Amino acid sequence: QVYVAETGGGSVETGGSLRLSCVASHKTSAMGWFRQAPGKEREAVAGITMAGTKDYADSVRGRFTVSRVHAKNTLFLQMTSLTPDDSGVYYCAAGDNVGYSLIDSRKYDSWGQGTQVTVSS
């Protein structure tokens, strides 16, 4: 069982930036970010392998950057040019059988409790 925990959520205005962090109890081959807005299904944001391969959802590509520090089992998500559509609960996920399906939530085994991101217009 891998435990993950997110931090860094908050409230910003449109055009602002936020940085999310996630710490895992163990190293895993892949880690990712997903989000869920009220009344909507969970959707992918970004994922990264231990080797540094990344993938992004089209909706955040060019605005968000995913990175990880292996030595600290830590995952980051730098979010810029935020809009109200980016609001929601952001979840960190980890898994060892993700392969290159980095933005497929079904591939991840371990999930955090989520951190709220609110972008006001």
Side-chain angles (χ1 to χ4, degrees):
Q1 179 75 33
V2 178
Y3 296 95
V4 295
E6 311 92 340
T7 57
S11 298
V12 296
E13 294 183 347
T14 295
S17 300
L18 277 176
R19 188 190 196 207
L20 306 183
S21 300
C22 169
V23 177
S25 59
H26 302 80
K27 285 185 177 63
T28 59
S29 63
M31 296 183 75
W33 290 100
F34 297 81
R35 67 187 182 188
Q36 187 168 19
K40 296 186 177 180
E41 294 186 354
R42 183 172 56 190
E43 63 177 4
V45 176
I48 183 171
T49 68
M50 192 172 289
T53 300
K54 303 176 184 182
D55 198 7
Y56 295 91
D58 289 342
S59 59
V60 306
R61 195 182 305 273
R63 300 187 298 121
F64 291 11
T65 302
V66 63
S67 60
R68 63 188 293 184
V69 177
H70 301 310
K72 297 183 179 181
N73 300 335
T74 303
L75 179 73
F76 299 101
L77 184 68
Q78 180 67 49
M79 304 185 292
T80 63
S81 301
L82 287 162
T83 74
D85 287 342
D86 295 314
S87 297
V89 178
Y90 281 68
Y91 297 93
C92 176
D96 283 316
N97 298 299
V98 176
Y100 291 105
S101 301
L102 297 171
I103 53 175
D104 184 348
S105 62
R106 299 169 297 178
K107 297 292 188 179
Y108 289 87
D109 304 308
S110 301
W111 293 82
Q113 294 297 309
T115 186
Q116 178 71 44
V117 171
T118 302
V119 184
S120 59
S121 57

